[in-house]
Amino acid sequence: MLFVALLVVTCLLIPQLSPFYSGHSQNSLSMLKTRYFDRLGLVETDLDSNPTAENLSKLIEAHVTKIPFDNLAQHGAVGGPATLDMETTAQKLLDRNRGGFCFELNGLLGEFLTQLGYKVLRAPSYIFAPDLSDFRDYPTHVVLIVTVPHDDTKWYVDVGLGEPPMQPLRLEMDTPQVTVEGMESRFVQDGENIVLQWKKSGAEWAPRLKWNREDGLRDPGPSLNDFQDNLDYVHGDHCIFAQKLVVCLLSRTRKITLAGRRLKITTPRFGPESQSTYQIVETATEAREILYREFGMPLEETKGLDLQKSASAGKEIWESM
């Protein structure tokens, strides 16, 4: 009887495993919500127990405003390569004020939204490459398909695209949607694929990424661990991320990008009055100071930063910046 009682107590004390579980200790993620809200500068009690479309929108805008897209780990910054372990990623993004790329940013956000009560599915995605005038032939990206409780509406959520929409997009075909920063987006169906397009200042609709429609509907969808091969591919020397350093942070009116040895600031981001200024970054020391000043990254996080691969990358590598 004592054994049975102990077994029942033990089972009650073990937390339920999230579908995003990837080998980390669940206890280590027990404070994820508090850490996340602190990093986003949002009041936890205002949003924690109320998973709505409106609150989802607030979370996504705060995320892309506070947490940059970056691939610094592939260019000498401290902390080692990106990982699918969510506690390691949480320490990097939330505790050490770093950024990351899609598998980190969307991976951790998916865990956070799940803890808040949203339903989250993931779909492997193919990025459109202007240098190829086509989609890349391997899924180097992951998007989130999010559903609000008691509502069947599906939302496209993506904080890891570099310059994603600053709000969730309703997953409806052929319907232009304008988000708060002025970005115009729409989804179109192309055979078995869903394609995200955007439209810039008088230009034609242009593709950004695609995923297989069924991948976005499969429930349960793939676990985060299922993206290990995709992450390994991105870590490869052949991948564009290994060849150029990119750090990007957004607001409604401003986009700031450090791409290799060039700092680019665009404001306003969209519309006929949009303008960009450029600055050449001469040294890694100067780049580290910019990362601290403009992106809020502690100097100790960028020790060892190396701009050599970016400096030697061919012109075609930068066409998709």
Side-chain angles (χ1 to χ4, degrees), residues 29 43 56 62 76 102 107 110 122 128-129 140 143 148 182 187 191 198 201-202 238 307 315:
L29 281 178
V43 180
L56 178 63
C102 65
R122 297 161 302 284
F128 186 82
T140 57
V143 302
V148 176
F187 298 103
W198 68 346
S201 301
H238 58 279
L307 303 181
K315 179 182 178 181

Side-chain angles (χ1 to χ4, degrees), residues 39 67-70 92-93 97-101 104-105 297:
R39 179 73 162 101
I67 304 180
F69 174 97
D70 86 54
K92 177 183 177 183
L93 302 185
N97 273 34
R98 280 281 296 280
F101 54 77
E104 300 169 289
L105 296 170
M297 294 187 190

Side-chain angles (χ1 to χ4, degrees), residues 180-199:
V180 289
E181 76 281 20
M183 181 184 293
E184 190 172 2
S185 305
R186 73 176 183 183
F187 298 103
V188 297
Q189 189 154 345
D190 181 13
E192 61 185 13
N193 295 313
I194 292 177
V195 179
L196 171 65
Q197 299 178 330
W198 68 346
K199 190 176 185 181

Side-chain angles (χ1 to χ4, degrees), residues 225-246:
N225 274 341
D226 291 330
F227 290 88
Q228 186 62 55
D229 288 344
N230 308 75
L231 179 60
D232 291 342
Y233 183 93
V234 172
H235 280 154
D237 290 338
H238 58 279
C239 182
I240 195 169
F241 274 8
Q243 301 174 56
K244 68 175 184 180
L245 178 148
V246 179

Side-chain angles (χ1 to χ4, degrees), residues 251-270:
S251 73
R252 291 189 180 191
T253 60
R254 184 174 185 255
K255 175 187 176 185
I256 179 166
T257 306
L258 178 63
R261 294 177 54 201
R262 186 171 70 165
L263 179 68
K264 177 182 178 182
I265 299 176
T266 301
T267 183
R269 292 177 54 198
F270 297 95

Side-chain angles (χ1 to χ4, degrees), residues 73-134:
Q74 288 170 278
H75 296 269
V78 302
T83 174
L84 299 182
D85 179 83
M86 287 294 92
E87 174 54 27
T88 301
T89 302
Q91 291 175 12
K92 177 183 177 183
L93 302 185
L94 308 182
D95 304 335
R96 290 162 40 207
N97 273 34
R98 280 281 296 280
F101 54 77
C102 65
F103 296 110
E104 300 169 289
L105 296 170
N106 286 340
L108 191 64
L109 177 63
E111 173 69 38
F112 178 49
L113 294 178
T114 299
Q115 289 196 14
L116 291 179
Y118 296 91
K119 181 176 181 180
V120 181
L121 300 176
R122 297 161 302 284
S125 307
Y126 298 79
I127 298 295
F128 186 82
D131 56 312
L132 302 176
S133 298
D134 200 355

